[in-house]
Amino acid sequence: MAGERIEMKILVCVKRVPAPGSRINVTDDAQNVDTAHLGFTTSPHEECAVEEAAQIIEREGGEVVVLTVGPSEAEEQLRYAASVGGTGFVLIPNDTGHDWDPQRTAAVITQAIGDIEAADGQFDLIMFGNESADAGGYQVGIRVAHALGRPMVNGIKGIDVRDGGFTARREVDAGSEVYELDAPAVMGVKEGINLPRYPTMKGRLASKKAVIESRDLDAAPGGQTKVKLHRPEEKVSETEILGTGPEAAPAIVDLLDELGVL
Amino acid sequence: MATLLVFCEHDRGVLPVGALEALTAARSLGADLGAEVEAVVIGNGADALADELAVHGAEVVHHIDHELLTDYGPDAWATSLVQLIEAESPTAVMSVGTDRGNEVMAGAAARLDVPFVANCVSVEPGDPWSMTRVQWGGSLLEDSTLASALPLVSYGHHTVEAAQADAPGAGEVRTFTPRLDASHTATMIRDRVVLSDGVTLSTASVVVSGGRGVGSADAFAPLEELAELLSGKVGCSRAVTNNGWRSHADQVGQTGTRIAPEIYIACGISGAIQHWVGAMASKNILAINTDPEANMVTKAGYAVIGDLHQVIPAVSEEIRRRRGV
């Protein structure tokens, strides 16, 4: 109803990842992406999750806590989140130089949520990215939701707040599936749910003033262990140049004909 | 006998090719292990899929059925799969790494408190098991070991080509009734919105895609025309959706749609890694670009060096000329 505000509490879990260009190189010890010449960013799905949370509280009122597990430098991503609508910030430092495996990461996030909720009350909505851009384990949010006993749907590209919960849409090949989740709920969102804003001047100021709360937590390692990273064998394909400019059209149509798609 | 359970997703009785990719991959793993390959399908009427699964090597088709399993829901499906796993004690469980495949397997792993390794390209049984999986959407590979009494893995979509078995499996249907109550239906599909009932980006045999080089939303019209002439679909790069020229639903890439058409025609696309991994499963790639050094051009099997704004209309014109219209 007009004027009636629900005051949403939302948690968004984000990951700091390298921002690669046209090629990803691996360090000499084959353990990590060589980031010597790379910047870092928030994993794209999660950047959209922060934007979605910001839009929801602009409509409903409330707060957006942004949480990350990662190196101390991940403070940069939390400050960025502060510049685009985040209101609270939690860093769980892992300065080992290696990502924790998915089970360990999920256990740590579950503990942190328990601690934060015990002090400040329950989150109505917890958002993750559908998968991280780098490791892409497709499971941390699902494990956290199960540990918390809350409903979880991944791959969400549309969220509407309704009385007592959320209507969520997941894009499939020929349309979308509609889910109805009661709060408190968990979702994994996908890029395309919105177009994230750029920080405004006001946002940049908020970013400088943001207070980052650091929580030291750890959990037992899970069963999957990374041995090494390597680049896939590149198919050495000689590029066949069919021609230059519009004069190449007949050669292109010949190719389409050959492939049986004409 | 040792068994491999293969979770085969379906949507209202239709098996996506991914489910058959997982069965195909499981067959070779089953041969290595001396294990029987058994398919798992969930939901009302899914037993009708048994013949298709048998042709792809399923000796047994476990049909998980319950009056509450009327449609897809991650909680109900993962809970049901876990109960079947507990009843059958398989050697390992696998699926394809699609949205549903990874979601149900991760949900099962969470409930069983065991690891889950998503999007493998190869899996080696042993002590411990070892596997190679994709990172960065396929730009990097990760070799991992897996210490688990029950390995749960998914195969990356399009990393294995679905193929029928030389000798079909028996496809014996065994019904399994899980213990479910209304609480498990909290995440079930409530409704569907159908946007297209024909060719889609992921099923099209021709995708004509544009990047930053197209220049504007309106300038996609010639690409639309060519796609229509070829009964294909128009795609785009992330730069295009970030500029608001096209809907994100058209985006090909790591964070968009992974496509595998007969031919991908990439127009004015530089070929950043996040785009390439969405297009690399295409059987043929034709890059049209003014820059002969563009990544897309050097990685493509075919290229035309030129301005897409001139080349694409000329191609449509040539097609019309040959068709005599």
Side-chain angles (χ1 to χ4, degrees):
Chain A
M1 280 197 299
E4 193 176 316
R5 294 199 133 191
I6 306 169
E7 290 289 320
M8 300 281 298
K9 279 176 71 77
I10 305 176
L11 176 73
V12 185
C13 298
V14 305
K15 185 174 184 186
R16 169 185 170 91
V17 297
S22 55
R23 188 182 161 96
I24 301 179
N25 292 313
V26 173
T27 52
D28 289 341
D29 67 359
Q31 290 300 306
N32 282 301
V33 170
D34 182 357
T35 56
H37 304 289
L38 295 180
F40 288 84
T41 185
T42 304
S43 186
H45 295 313
E46 291 129 57
E47 192 183 347
C48 292
V50 173
E51 173 65 31
E52 193 66 18
Q55 291 185 14
I56 290 173
I57 65 160
E58 279 163 8
R59 291 194 303 269
E60 314 287 347
E63 56 185 87
V64 176
V65 178
V66 183
L67 178 150
T68 192
V69 178
S72 297
E73 291 81 6
E75 180 180 335
E76 184 191 343
Q77 279 60 50
L78 294 178
R79 292 207 178 273
Y80 185 82
S83 73
V84 289
T87 60
F89 311 94
V90 179
L91 172 67
I92 302 170
N94 168 11
D95 286 310
T96 61
H98 300 278
D99 276 3
W100 286 331
D101 67 77
Q103 289 170 284
R104 190 175 188 173
T105 305
V108 163
I109 293 173
T110 303
Q111 284 180 55
I113 292 171
D115 294 348
I116 296 167
E117 290 192 335
D120 302 332
Q122 195 170 54
F123 291 108
D124 301 290
L125 175 61
I126 299 173
M127 283 195 268
F128 290 83
N130 187 68
E131 88 280 359
S132 61
D134 53 355
Y138 287 82
Q139 58 190 282
V140 169
I142 292 170
R143 288 183 185 276
V144 171
H146 177 69
L148 296 171
R150 297 181 196 176
M152 159 72 176
V153 180
N154 218 12
I156 295 302
K157 281 182 83 168
I159 300 174
D160 292 319
V161 178
R162 58 171 176 78
D163 195 20
F166 307 91
T167 300
R169 285 179 303 283
R170 163 145 125 185
E171 210 166 77
V172 290
D173 201 24
S176 54
E177 299 166 346
V178 181
Y179 296 87
E180 303 273 353
L181 303 187
D182 289 340
V186 186
M187 293 182 206
V189 311
K190 272 193 178 175
E191 183 183 86
I193 189 171
N194 53 46
L195 204 50
R197 70 194 67 185
Y198 290 103
T200 59
M201 189 53 75
K202 192 174 158 221
R204 283 183 229 276
L205 286 173
S207 160
K208 286 206 181 77
K209 287 186 192 153
V211 178
I212 313 275
E213 182 192 349
S214 186
R215 286 178 179 264
D216 285 312
L217 292 168
D218 199 353
Q224 187 199 341
T225 306
K226 176 176 71 183
V227 177
K228 65 170 183 164
L229 295 177
H230 52 105
R231 290 158 45 84
E233 240 176 79
E234 278 182 45
K235 276 182 244 164
V236 197
S237 65
E238 278 297 298
T239 306
E240 185 182 339
I241 305 289
L242 298 178
T244 304
E247 291 72 34
I252 294 174
V253 179
D254 286 348
L255 173 67
L256 297 173
D257 197 11
E258 212 174 286
L259 297 176
V261 297
L262 197 56
Chain B
M1 184 180 185
T3 55
L4 287 179
L5 284 187
V6 184
F7 162 61
C8 295
E9 63 181 279
H10 68 95
D11 187 61
R12 293 164 291 171
V14 177
L15 279 173
V17 67
L20 303 174
E21 290 170 8
L23 266 181
T24 305
R27 284 206 312 267
S28 57
L29 191 63
D32 291 349
L33 278 166
E36 186 169 272
V37 172
E38 303 187 352
V40 181
V41 288
I42 301 177
N44 304 159
D47 48 333
L49 301 167
D51 289 348
E52 200 175 350
L53 297 167
V55 166
H56 288 83
E59 293 296 338
V60 174
V61 175
H62 296 278
H63 176 218
I64 300 180
D65 201 13
H66 190 287
E67 59 182 3
L68 293 174
L69 292 170
T70 53
D71 204 337
Y72 177 73
D75 184 12
W77 282 40
T79 300
S80 299
L81 178 60
V82 164
Q83 291 180 14
L84 179 75
I85 290 169
E86 286 170 340
E88 294 291 321
S89 303
T91 308
V93 187
M94 39 207 42
S95 78
V96 67
T98 51
D99 282 353
R100 284 189 185 182
N102 282 333
E103 183 170 54
V104 170
M105 293 290 277
R111 285 158 181 77
L112 292 161
D113 195 21
V114 298
F116 162 56
V117 186
N119 297 335
C120 296
V121 297
S122 66
V123 176
E124 287 287 329
D127 185 21
W129 281 43
S130 57
M131 55 268 307
T132 299
R133 61 178 298 272
V134 306
Q135 284 209 2
W136 290 98
S139 307
L140 279 189
L141 297 175
E142 171 191 349
D143 293 347
S144 276
T145 57
L146 175 61
S148 178
L150 176 65
L152 257 59
V153 301
S154 70
Y155 284 91
H157 195 13
H158 300 312
T159 56
V160 176
E161 192 160 353
Q164 298 189 355
D166 293 336
E172 179 205 338
V173 177
R174 291 186 200 158
T175 304
F176 177 81
T177 308
R179 301 174 305 280
L180 297 176
D181 59 53
S183 73
H184 295 108
T185 64
T187 55
M188 238 166 207
I189 292 175
R190 292 282 174 259
D191 198 4
R192 282 183 171 79
V193 181
V194 178
L195 296 177
S196 146
D197 47 11
V199 176
T200 66
L201 203 51
S202 56
T203 61
S205 58
V206 178
V207 175
V208 183
S209 210
R212 197 187 300 274
V214 176
S216 70
D218 291 344
F220 270 87
L223 278 67
E224 295 277 4
E225 185 193 16
L226 177 59
E228 195 173 323
L229 282 169
L230 297 170
S231 303
K233 293 296 280 186
V234 170
C236 67
S237 71
R238 191 159 180 248
V240 167
T241 46
N242 279 348
N243 277 322
W245 298 343
R246 292 191 79 84
S247 148
H248 189 276
D250 295 342
Q251 185 177 315
V252 173
Q254 186 179 346
T255 49
T257 302
R258 313 290 183 90
I259 59 167
E262 187 62 31
I263 183 163
Y264 183 55
I265 306 177
C267 310
I269 296 178
S270 63
I273 201 127
Q274 100 97 28
H275 182 76
W276 175 254
V277 296
M280 65 186 179
S282 305
K283 293 185 185 64
N284 296 279
I285 296 178
L286 165 64
I288 301 173
N289 208 299
T290 50
D291 176 8
E293 301 302 321
N295 256 303
M296 203 73 209
V297 172
T298 57
K299 285 182 170 175
Y302 303 95
V304 167
I305 309 307
D307 182 351
L308 69 100
H309 301 97
Q310 296 169 359
V311 177
I312 295 297
V315 173
S316 295
E317 184 53 38
E318 176 68 11
I319 292 170
R320 278 193 298 265
R321 191 187 65 77
R322 291 195 195 184
R323 286 177 182 168
V325 292

